[in-house]
Amino acid sequence: MRKLRNEELDRIDVEGYKLAGKSPIIIVLDNIRSLNNIGSVFRTADAFLVEKIYLCGITARPPHKDIHKTALGATDSVDWEHVEDTMELVDRLKKDGCHVVSVEQAEKATQLNNYHPDKDKKQVFIFGNEVKGVAQNVVSTSDEVLEIPQFGTKHSLNISVSVGVVIWDCWSKINA
């Protein structure tokens, strides 16, 4: 087996990405502190043709060298918007008919392996602050809370890892 060279990967360019059909997936970052995590989320969003990223509250915005370092240009391809108040955004997205899901450890949370996205609705996934998680008022307003099962001694994953796991899972179920 031979590794493929970059020119063999048949990747689309930024213009092609802009014109491509998007996954019915939206990512909301609720007060994320780490610029590297933000950049990694952009890269994951690009990989799965995510419709849009909302950067809420204190979440930093492009252009920034530390975001760019991990995004590797995905800030140019993925649509994004800064919204100061996460709750206002959640209310707006719900009114638009989106299914709003907080990714958090909470009572009665749906385990990721048991999550079945409605293919006829846009799926909005909210990821929270590295220390405090998704704000409680946002969790309370969400249509559903999703938890990534974990079996080791730690009870959390890095946010960029959580985004990758959840978006891949949702994308693969929508496209099955």
Side-chain angles (χ1 to χ4, degrees):
M1 201 173 312
R2 177 185 65 81
K3 287 177 31 175
L4 296 175
R5 295 185 310 272
N6 282 344
E7 55 273 7
E8 293 178 284
L9 295 177
D10 196 29
R11 301 281 186 205
I12 58 176
D13 59 12
V14 172
E15 189 59 36
Y17 184 95
K18 295 285 187 185
L19 297 172
K22 302 297 182 289
S23 301
I25 299 171
I26 295 170
I27 297 171
V28 175
L29 300 182
D30 182 26
N31 292 301
I32 303 304
R33 298 174 309 153
S34 167
L35 298 157
N36 291 322
N37 283 338
I38 297 164
S40 292
V41 170
F42 269 93
R43 242 167 98 188
T44 299
D46 178 278
F48 296 106
L49 291 169
V50 165
E51 182 176 307
K52 191 168 189 173
I53 298 174
Y54 287 96
L55 308 170
C56 297
I58 66 165
T59 306
R61 315 180 271 285
H64 192 286
K65 66 180 176 87
D66 289 333
I67 294 173
H68 181 72
K69 180 170 59 175
T70 50
L72 294 179
T75 56
D76 297 328
S77 55
V78 178
D79 285 340
W80 64 272
E81 178 181 338
H82 177 258
V83 176
E84 191 59 40
D85 189 294
T86 307
M87 277 302 300
E88 288 178 16
L89 173 64
V90 167
D91 290 340
R92 184 174 88 205
L93 292 170
K94 287 179 79 167
K95 285 178 186 164
D96 288 345
C98 296
H99 183 72
V100 176
V101 180
S102 284
V103 180
E104 188 58 82
Q105 296 165 328
E107 298 171 337
K108 300 179 184 175
T110 301
Q111 297 298 298
L112 180 61
N113 51 305
N114 296 324
Y115 179 67
H116 302 288
D118 181 344
K119 295 180 182 187
D120 296 324
K121 281 189 170 187
K122 289 183 184 177
Q123 303 297 302
V124 176
F125 295 102
I126 304 170
F127 298 88
N129 179 277
E130 293 90 341
V131 174
K132 298 178 182 180
V134 179
Q136 181 61 57
N137 61 340
V138 174
V139 170
S140 298
T141 305
S142 296
D143 296 312
E144 192 167 358
V145 178
L146 189 63
E147 184 175 339
I148 301 169
Q150 298 170 54
F151 307 101
T153 62
K154 302 302 174 202
H155 297 286
S156 67
L157 295 168
N158 178 283
I159 180 173
S160 64
V161 172
S162 295
V163 170
V165 169
V166 170
I167 299 308
W168 161 249
D169 184 79
C170 182
W171 186 91
S172 63
K173 289 173 180 173
I174 289 171
N175 290 289

